[in-house]
Amino acid sequence: MRGPAAPRAVPKVGFVSLGCPKALVDSERILTQLRAEGYATAKDYGGADLVIVNTCGFIDAAVEESLEAIGEALSENGKVIVTGCLGAKDGVVQKAHPSVLAITGPHDTEGVMRAVHAHLPKPHDPYTDLVPAQGVKLTPRHYAYLKISEGCNHRCSFCIIPSMRGDLVSRPIGEVMQEAENLVKAGVRELLVISQDTSAYGVDVKYRTGFWQGRPVKTKMNELCRTLGELGVWVRLHYVYPYPHVDEVIPLMAQGKILPYLDVPFQHASPRILKLMKRPASAEKVLERLAAWRAVCPEITVRSTFIAGFPGETEAEFEQMLEFLEAAQLDRVGCFAYSPVEGAAANALPGPVSEEVKERRRARFMQAQEKISARKLKAKVGRTLQVLVDAPGEGRSSADAPGIDGTVRFRGGKAGEFRHIIIERAGAHDLHGRLA
Ligand code: SF4
């Protein structure tokens, strides 16, 4: 009598994920598909039958890091598939590492899966029902990024994302809502809405009406926010431009439906530089808009990023940026010295600013902001804030996006729970307090 056949070894795939939250979402999609088809993931190069490297190609340092990661995977394992932004840059990966098995661009789960199938056949009996409905997440269990679109219709002169990722393609609202609902059912307590331009959601499909739970919902940022607000978790918006229709989501923040938090990348304040940057919404009256938002929702936290030393930026134009900072009183600010990304149109502009001046301006800008941020944090001492606990002793309030803003420190708490914290002290970036 023959016994049961020996179980077939499950093919294992190693995964290296580099880059921004958008790349992370791509990684999660690929991992989810791999799991759905019965592949297992390996924890190290040695235990993998092949390795996928999801790369970033945004700035030169990221290109270096990605090429190094591919090199390491090749020497440790030998079978490597490359995906992500660097894969979309003509010939770069091929030239540095000719022995990779396949190269695909970002947002190409199908392309990656085709390459996996070609080099590591699918197991015959995929345990599809073992895939959690929310997919495989790389972020901690209690928060998750929700990517609502891919690509961008703008052509900012310092940016090469549209050439790598193409024009805006909005995900159907029903699909986005389903994913959000699955995440919440699986324990996610905070959804971080991301895209290249969240305020443009649905423009490409003319705000088509989709369906969620049998109800019609338009593919539009405001409707998305309203509907996400019904899920009873924190909803945080990233990459929003100050278009007039953004005003409509501020009441949702004031009513506590979504977090009073807006991440608006202003990048500069000089109209001439903004024009050279070809920034969306650069003609909007930003200061007036900020004042109007604060009048409706005084709790709102506004985060932004800026670029110092853009080609042709004069001392007076830089001063304009400083004046804007003082007038705008933003809560959270990042500033980068202009980095000439290969292939960006801005590199051809006259009047490049020297490295030294760029760095000096960046430092001056951040110094000015530090005072504003410190003042704003100090004003929170004595208040009680709701916090989502990331780990015992550490959490974030509505004002803190994970990884880029500050934290709230206290004793106790369990990851994933909401707690109230009495704020006792403010540092430069973080708040300190005790459980209420
Ligand atoms: S809005 Fe501008 S900076 Fe942002 S992705 Fe589009 S082109 Fe790039």
Side-chain angles (χ1 to χ4, degrees), residues 151-156 158-162 196-197 241 267 278-280:
C152 181
N153 285 347
H154 303 299
R155 294 294 180 264
C156 299
F158 56 81
C159 176
I160 53 167
I161 285 176
Q196 311 295 344
D197 176 359
Y241 290 103
Q267 308 300 20
K278 299 207 166 83
R279 289 296 289 164

